[in-house]
Amino acid sequence: MTKTGMKGMIIGIFILLIGVVVLVCNLIVNRSVAGHTFEDIAAIPENKVGLVLGTSPTLSNGKSNYYFTYRMDAAAELYKAGKYYMFWLVEIITGPVIMNRKR
């Protein structure tokens, strides 16, 4: 086998191994979250506090961030359905924050 052929085979094996690692990780995640993800609000157990992960309401180009919109809509639906009584909102700060304390 030539050097070029050997390099190609090593690269191919490396790519195959990366693919196997990704598939195994995917299986591990899917098995660990089974029974903890829900499609129907009625199936969600009632809790006192819900966690909403933070994201910016707008993108850098000024358009609406749908991740933010969908998270807030889902939190509102859960609150209205009586599944959660309060939410812990986690804010991700990506730049300077100016707080206006005028009343």
Side-chain angles (χ1 to χ4, degrees):
M1 186 174 279
T2 65
K3 272 188 166 183
T4 307
M6 189 67 131
K7 278 185 179 180
M9 189 170 78
I10 290 172
I11 290 172
I13 291 171
F14 183 72
I15 291 171
L16 181 65
L17 285 174
I18 289 174
V20 169
V21 167
V22 167
L23 287 174
V24 169
C25 289
N26 188 42
L27 286 172
I28 291 169
V29 168
N30 284 338
R31 286 186 181 186
S32 67
V33 300
H36 300 288
T37 57
F38 304 95
E39 296 288 328
D40 182 26
I41 288 181
I44 297 173
E46 190 175 306
N47 288 296
K48 279 188 171 185
V49 180
L51 174 68
V52 180
L53 298 177
T55 185
S56 175
T58 56
L59 301 173
S60 59
N61 62 6
K63 292 184 179 179
S64 292
N65 183 350
Y66 291 114
Y67 287 110
F68 177 82
T69 303
Y70 296 150
R71 287 178 191 177
M72 295 300 114
D73 290 347
E77 285 184 45
L78 289 167
Y79 180 79
K80 289 175 187 173
K83 297 297 181 172
Y84 294 97
Y85 298 100
M86 65 181 91
F87 288 92
W88 184 12
L89 304 175
V90 179
E91 182 180 358
I92 299 173
I93 300 172
T94 57
V97 175
I98 300 170
M99 299 183 79
N100 187 351
R101 296 188 185 258
K102 292 182 183 174
R103 291 186 184 228

